[in-house]
Amino acid sequence: MSVRHRRPLLASTVLVLGAGLALTACGPDNTDTAGGPAASATTAAAKPSTAGAPATAGAPTKGATSHPSTHAPSGGSTGAGAGQPCDIQNLSIHVTARSGAPSQRVIEVQNTGGNSCTLSSSPGVDLGNSTAQDQSKNIKPVLASGTSRFTVPAGQKAYAVIDLDPSGATTGTAPDVNELNVLADDEGTDMPLSSTQNFPLGDGARVLDPKMSIYRASVAEAVKSMAAAPN
């Protein structure tokens, strides 16, 4: 933080010479009394909430599933920090099986902070074995198209849907895959890989050529986005 130093002002003596010099008093330049500019509103910072202990095992490879942002954040969010990346401390992340679609999982990310924030267009996701020492060969889903960062209003949720086995194959699936790893925002340095969270897939999960949606405001919209991902 820089500190400005003020120099002392030297008073100067002005001699007014000559007789008959008329002095005219000047009033204030601004006589507008009908409401000047409003003072800027200040918003108190939200108290961070616990989003679960971060895990490092199975962290998605940086950049492998990211979409570089080329557009301004969408949505009508306002307030301090509306366009700022989400803080992992203000996110609650859950993964659940989608009802009626056993091969699909719903990734739900809730903004528990007091202000709107943005996420990358889709989460960073890969699939692997929870006990493997080498996670570099984890399987990454094919992504639906989209590059804009996704705005999540305070208290609201973002959804992404992944289909682990879109073809429904029962043979030729990847062996020993039992975990889905999620990094809520995989762009930039605001959310490090250590913020990756790991979710068990359960027994009997089949994984073959998975594909995933971009973030959407509802599960139905995320399913539609996922269905449009290339095979």
Side-chain angles (χ1 to χ4, degrees):
M1 178 177 69
S2 61
V3 178
R4 293 184 178 179
H5 298 281
R6 294 183 178 179
R7 295 181 180 178
L9 298 177
L10 299 179
S12 60
T13 304
V14 179
L15 299 179
V16 181
L17 300 180
L21 179 62
L23 300 179
T24 303
C26 297
D29 292 335
N30 183 7
T31 59
D32 183 8
T33 59
S40 300
T42 57
T43 303
K47 181 179 180 181
S49 62
T50 303
T56 56
T61 303
K62 198 68 172 178
T65 59
S66 66
H67 295 301
S69 179
T70 58
H71 303 286
S74 59
S77 303
T78 58
Q84 296 299 313
C86 295
D87 187 330
I88 188 63
Q89 298 300 321
N90 290 333
L91 296 178
S92 175
I93 305 169
H94 299 280
V95 172
T96 57
R98 182 175 169 240
S99 179
S103 68
Q104 296 180 15
R105 299 293 185 274
V106 177
I107 301 169
E108 174 192 288
V109 181
Q110 182 175 13
N111 176 9
T112 60
N115 298 310
S116 296
C117 62
T118 66
L119 296 168
S120 51
S121 58
S122 62
V125 167
D126 66 30
L127 303 132
N129 186 278
S130 59
T131 62
Q133 295 296 318
D134 182 9
Q135 301 282 334
S136 63
K137 296 182 180 180
N138 284 6
I139 299 170
K140 299 173 178 61
V142 174
L143 299 178
S145 61
T147 58
S148 297
R149 290 186 65 82
F150 188 80
T151 299
V152 191
Q156 299 302 305
K157 299 175 181 179
Y159 298 93
V161 172
I162 181 172
D163 195 330
L164 306 176
D165 184 14
S167 67
T170 57
T171 60
T173 57
D176 302 322
V177 177
N178 63 7
E179 187 174 65
L180 184 150
N181 307 305
V182 178
L183 182 63
D185 187 335
D186 72 342
E187 291 180 355
T189 59
D190 296 294
M191 195 169 295
L193 289 177
S194 60
S195 298
T196 299
Q197 297 188 25
N198 315 109
F199 300 90
L201 291 175
D203 297 335
R206 298 188 180 95
V207 177
L208 181 65
D209 300 326
K211 61 182 183 178
M212 189 175 74
S213 74
I214 58 176
Y215 277 127
R216 298 285 83 186
S218 70
V219 174
E221 291 176 356
V223 170
K224 185 181 298 185
S225 169
M226 182 267 298
N231 296 318

